[in-house]
Amino acid sequence: MTAYTPPAPHRVPLPTRTPARTKTIPHARNRIGALMALTGLALALLSLYLPWLSTGESERISALGITEIIDVRSVAPVLFLGLLVLSLLVSVTALTRLGAFAVAATVVAVGVLAGHLAFVWTLILSTGTTEPALSGLPADATVTFGPYVAALGFVMGAAGSAWAARSARYVKSARDPE
């Protein structure tokens, strides 16, 4: 009777497991990026209630007040919906670590940041001038810190989403070459 000798352990990965499928996903970096993006979005939402314009009479006008002054109330729900979609993308990124959602959140955040900066530039050009680009603003209005807090929030949202996308999981089919 011969004694049983177990086979040597595998020194190479099994042929069914490609290196891409055994990749370790850095959970902490992905979560930190997603939390940074969520914090940025919270800042952007908070900035809606901060003063964006100040007049000579010590009156402060928030972003919600600006939408009533220049009569863009029909656009405000679309902007709010965009922030909610961006929050959803970032939340899914944080919970699932799927790269497609992180990349989509990065693209949307960069687009929102570009639109925000264009609006802030128009707002700055419309204050303190006799021919404002936005009609309806008070003549003695000056831009305060609200738009800059929102811009910081959008930058944090884009940077956090990009960071999460860098460390996220990407689904590959078995036919994709390495």
Side-chain angles (χ1 to χ4, degrees):
M1 183 165 199
T2 19
Y4 174 74
T5 309
H10 292 283
R11 299 284 181 211
V12 295
L14 294 174
T16 57
R17 294 184 186 158
T18 61
R21 296 217 183 258
T22 59
K23 175 185 168 194
T24 303
I25 300 162
H27 299 288
R29 281 195 327 201
N30 184 276
R31 298 276 163 92
I32 289 171
L35 287 175
M36 187 169 113
L38 283 173
T39 303
L41 293 176
L43 267 176
L45 285 173
L46 174 70
S47 75
L48 292 174
Y49 300 99
L50 296 175
W52 280 42
L53 293 175
S54 176
T55 63
E57 304 145 0
S58 300
E59 181 185 358
R60 295 181 171 219
I61 303 170
S62 68
L64 299 174
I66 290 174
T67 59
E68 293 175 7
I69 291 173
I70 61 175
D71 199 25
V72 289
R73 286 176 281 189
S74 61
V75 178
V78 174
L79 299 175
F80 186 73
L81 184 64
L83 286 175
L84 288 180
V85 167
L86 189 54
S87 297
L88 176 73
L89 289 171
V90 171
S91 299
V92 169
T93 299
L95 296 175
T96 64
R97 297 176 314 278
L98 290 175
F101 286 96
V103 170
T106 304
V107 169
V108 171
V110 168
V112 168
L113 177 63
H116 174 74
L117 292 176
F119 176 73
V120 170
W121 182 255
T122 306
L123 190 65
I124 289 171
L125 291 177
S126 298
T127 56
T129 182
T130 57
E131 296 180 20
L134 297 172
S135 61
L137 293 179
D140 58 346
T142 57
V143 176
T144 60
F145 61 92
Y148 303 111
V149 170
L152 174 66
F154 293 136
V155 167
M156 284 178 65
S161 296
W163 191 358
R166 187 168 178 252
S167 63
R169 173 177 28 201
Y170 294 92
V171 178
K172 293 184 178 184
S173 70
R175 294 179 282 146
D176 288 343
E178 295 301 317

